[in-house]
Amino acid sequence: MTALWLGIALLSLLAVVFVLVPVYRGRQIENDIQPDVDRRQLNITIYEERLAELGAERAAGTLDQENYDSLKLELERNLLQDVDDTAVPSGKSVHVTRQSIITAFLLAALVPAMGLAIYAKYGRSGDLAVAMSRPADPFNGRKPTVEEAITALQERLKQEPENPEGWYLLANTFMSMQNFAAAADGYGKALKYLPADAPQYAGVNGQYAQALFFANSGKMNPQIRAEVDKTLGVDPFDVTALGLLGIESYESGDYRAAMEFWRKGLTNASAEQADSLKSGIISARDKLIAAGETVADIPELAEVKIQLAVSLSPELQSRVTPDMTVFIFARPVGGRMPLAAKRVTVADLPLSIVLDDSMAMSPQAKLSGAETVEVTARISASGQPTPQPGDLSGTISPVAVHDQVDILELSIDHIVE
């Protein structure tokens, strides 16, 4: 901080100098001009006196007319030369008044005052102080315990309370420790400082509702219900909020409603979340069947996978090295975004592999959501997924996604042009 304020002081002093220097130079010019004006008047007086003396000498007969004219001409030349040497450099006289000096000093004082006022309102000296005073590694290279890491994070949040990322990290840590009340408090503070239009807002709000739910012994209450509704108002497919509604319905014996909530949650679920939701759906379905009710087939529970045996054509073996990258993926026929993808190397070939929803590039684009796909294996000389001339490739198209039981032979057998 000392360096900061020293820098501000130096810059303020520089600004004052820029204001006062023109005033100082104006005074100097004024002082320099006045002596020049006085000396010019003196030269004229001397000229007139000398000219009178020459006139007197001519009248007395001691100086003839020819010499008189010559000496007079010399006097006139000298006078003109002296006047040129003492001429004022500008057509306007420079005059620095008392009022202009006072104005300059007031401006000089206002420059740093206004700068400090603006910095006090819009500057971040507090954040800078925190950053400069924070130790680079409070644990001196030692891996901290969970308790130490939590304490360090809490101390940081005392200094930087408006830090949604910090509160979110703290809440996740408490959640993993099953300290649900502390987790709920952390998520609540993260939401306090996270903009409502942030893309993460719905997800964090859903986790806040979940922490409140578990802190309330797995029971729904008006506050939790309001947070769930708020979350779904932002994102109707939020996995966490739909999961909570499914749990509530399941616990109350409304298994069909639980199944519908969990099936909807599968839309944006990650692979791990999908496994949990599917387990819940299966449990609810089995409860209904045990009660003698009829349950229609559930497409989301159908096992979707494509089994491949990937190999490299012997004719192309000489064009590759073992460390070159191989991309294996399935995508909609004619589409570009892969629904499932795997990255291996040439050294892994030949290779048996299964493409399924766990390899999805995004929760919204899964293999199970397509009817037919094209399956491609490409050896990339550049190591990039975008095809380039000279890459080696092989494709099978179209491939039926559902009820696929055969192992497909996929040969990398042609060069990309």
Side-chain angles (χ1 to χ4, degrees), residues 140-161:
N140 296 320
R142 175 179 59 84
K143 184 177 181 180
T145 63
V146 175
E147 291 75 14
E148 288 175 333
I150 290 175
T151 300
L153 181 55
Q154 288 173 327
E155 288 299 320
R156 177 183 173 185
L157 290 172
K158 287 180 181 178
Q159 299 174 330
E160 303 176 40

Side-chain angles (χ1 to χ4, degrees), residues 197-398:
D197 58 351
Q200 307 91 340
Y201 193 89
V204 176
N205 204 86
Q207 289 175 282
Y208 176 48
Q210 183 182 59
L212 290 172
F213 183 81
F214 289 143
N216 195 41
S217 302
K219 303 295 182 182
M220 191 72 73
N221 62 28
Q223 180 191 5
I224 300 170
R225 169 69 68 175
E227 294 301 332
V228 168
D229 292 343
K230 179 181 175 182
T231 301
L232 294 176
V234 178
D235 180 4
F237 296 96
D238 182 77
V239 180
T240 306
L242 292 169
L244 292 178
L245 292 178
I247 293 173
E248 181 193 25
S249 299
Y250 187 94
E251 293 297 329
S252 66
D254 191 350
Y255 301 119
R256 289 191 183 276
M259 288 171 57
E260 291 306 312
F261 285 128
W262 288 334
R263 288 178 65 186
K264 189 175 181 180
L266 285 170
T267 303
N268 286 339
S270 64
E272 184 178 351
Q273 291 171 325
D275 289 341
S276 178
L277 292 174
K278 286 179 179 179
S279 296
I281 294 170
I282 292 171
S283 178
R285 181 196 62 184
D286 292 346
K287 290 284 188 181
L288 291 171
I289 293 174
E293 298 188 31
T294 302
V295 181
D297 291 339
I298 302 173
E300 292 84 358
L301 296 182
E303 186 177 14
V304 175
K305 62 181 181 180
I306 298 176
Q307 302 178 78
L308 300 173
V310 185
S311 61
L312 174 62
S313 173
E315 291 80 7
L316 301 178
Q317 293 280 354
S318 61
R319 301 179 66 94
V320 301
T321 58
D323 61 340
M324 292 178 71
T325 301
V326 183
F327 294 102
I328 305 170
F329 54 89
R331 63 186 178 188
V333 177
R336 299 185 63 182
M337 174 64 74
L339 303 176
K342 180 73 174 180
R343 178 175 177 167
V344 297
T345 64
V346 170
D348 297 315
L349 301 177
L351 172 69
S352 295
I353 187 174
V354 176
L355 300 180
D356 56 28
D357 281 348
S358 67
M359 301 177 182
M361 304 296 288
S362 73
Q364 294 78 23
K366 296 181 180 180
L367 189 62
S368 58
E371 293 297 326
T372 59
V373 295
E374 61 182 26
V375 181
T376 300
R378 182 173 64 250
I379 299 176
S380 172
S382 65
Q384 301 300 316
T386 304
Q388 303 289 334
D391 290 352
L392 309 181
S393 182
T395 299
I396 303 175
S397 179

Side-chain angles (χ1 to χ4, degrees), residues 154-175:
Q154 288 173 327
E155 288 299 320
R156 177 183 173 185
L157 290 172
K158 287 180 181 178
Q159 299 174 330
E160 303 176 40
E162 299 182 11
N163 183 347
E165 292 85 0
W167 288 115
Y168 181 76
L169 177 59
L170 183 64
N172 278 346
T173 304
F174 281 131
M175 199 71 178

